[in-house]
Amino acid sequence: MDSAEITGLILAGGRGSRMGHVDKGLQIFRGAPMALHVLMRLQPQVGQMMINANQNLGPYESFGLPVWPDEIGGFEGPLAGMQTGLVHCETEYMVTAPCDSPFLPEDLVSRLAEGLEDARVDLAYAVTGEGETQQSHPVFCLMRATLNRSLEAYLRAGGRKIEAWFRQENAAQVRFDDEAAFRNINTLEDLKRYEAS
Ligand SMILES: Nc1nc2c(ncn2[C@@H]2O[C@H](COP(=O)(O)OP(=O)(O)OP(=O)(O)O)[C@@H](O)[C@H]2O)c(=O)[nH]1
Ligand SMILES: [Mg+2]
């Protein structure tokens, strides 16, 4: 898969309630907004980038990328952000990462692409660990843009659970060794703790 055929979507459309209802992607971490860390990690891995946000669109636009608010409902969860991305995606594939994951793997996209192609499916997402300690990281996923219709139908029917829709689409799990790369920063305490470490 050619990385030029992949659009990266930063998911920044949440409420940030655990951080005190702040816009998580705009919180400063190690001198830059968290979403900018994600942008710097993801951009070299894809052909184009865009952002999904529902508040403070101006500050996100200042990153020089298209910014799209959710198409369906208000704060209906990450799938609504993915669906919005698919509506605007002009490449064959779209890959997503949340705005609060500044450590995401530098080979995220190539590994997901390999997993998707090996499994001959249209959707792949990251997992770490094995057996009882396996953890899913479903907001780190690569999908074919044609899934737009399926995802829109799922949301319109009231579906909100990422992993239920993933099962419906036979999503492939792609195992990564470095669990720390998927750490996300949900609270002000997380922000302080990782700032220093
Ligand atoms: N578009 C969109 N994205 C969302 C929505 N809710 C969460 N997300 C995104 O999904 C990802 C994972 O969500 P959380 O880490 O729970 O973020 P959050 O919902 O802002 O934070 P909390 O309110 O503390 O749960 C983040 O990238 C969020 O921006 C939503 O309603 N719409
Ligand atoms: Mg949430």
Side-chain angles (χ1 to χ4, degrees):
M1 189 184 302
D2 183 355
S3 65
E5 265 313 307
I6 307 173
T7 299
L9 174 71
I10 301 176
L11 293 167
R15 288 184 200 269
S17 45
R18 281 166 290 175
M19 205 174 272
H21 293 97
V22 298
D23 200 329
K24 275 202 284 190
L26 298 176
Q27 299 312 300
I28 302 299
F29 178 68
R30 299 184 183 172
M34 283 212 279
L36 193 54
H37 286 273
V38 175
L39 172 60
M40 290 186 296
R41 281 275 163 122
L42 199 53
Q43 195 158 37
Q45 305 187 43
V46 297
Q48 303 182 28
M49 285 293 306
M50 58 188 176
I51 300 177
N52 162 239
N54 288 314
Q55 311 171 80
N56 306 302
L57 306 190
Y60 283 113
E61 275 159 2
S62 75
F63 296 168
L65 300 175
V67 181
W68 306 108
D70 287 358
E71 293 269 323
I72 292 180
F75 297 107
E76 300 290 344
L79 277 182
M82 292 180 188
Q83 190 266 337
T84 300
L86 288 177
V87 167
H88 298 284
C89 182
E90 292 173 352
T91 55
E92 201 174 339
Y93 293 93
M94 180 180 83
V95 65
T96 71
C99 62
D100 59 357
S101 58
F103 313 110
L104 69 91
E106 282 165 4
D107 61 355
L108 176 74
V109 180
S110 59
R111 302 274 313 278
L112 289 176
E114 212 178 277
L116 181 146
E117 287 178 330
D118 286 351
R120 298 172 189 269
V121 290
D122 291 338
L123 178 53
Y125 66 100
V127 302
T128 51
E130 268 179 86
E132 284 190 359
T133 63
Q134 177 168 310
Q135 283 206 41
S136 292
H137 306 284
V139 282
F140 298 83
C141 68
L142 173 70
M143 66 186 81
R144 204 183 265 277
T146 51
L147 289 184
N148 183 21
R149 291 171 80 184
S150 159
L151 182 51
E152 184 182 342
Y154 180 78
L155 285 165
R156 297 245 183 250
R160 296 291 179 267
K161 293 203 164 77
I162 297 194
E163 287 182 82
W165 182 65
F166 280 10
R167 276 194 296 277
Q168 182 186 307
E169 293 302 329
N170 270 324
Q173 298 183 334
V174 180
R175 198 166 313 281
F176 288 78
D177 293 329
D178 185 9
E179 183 136 0
F182 294 93
R183 280 174 302 190
N184 61 87
I185 296 181
N186 284 310
T187 64
L188 282 174
E189 290 74 62
D190 291 343
L191 197 65
K192 272 191 218 141
R193 181 156 39 108
Y194 294 132
E195 182 85 40
S197 63

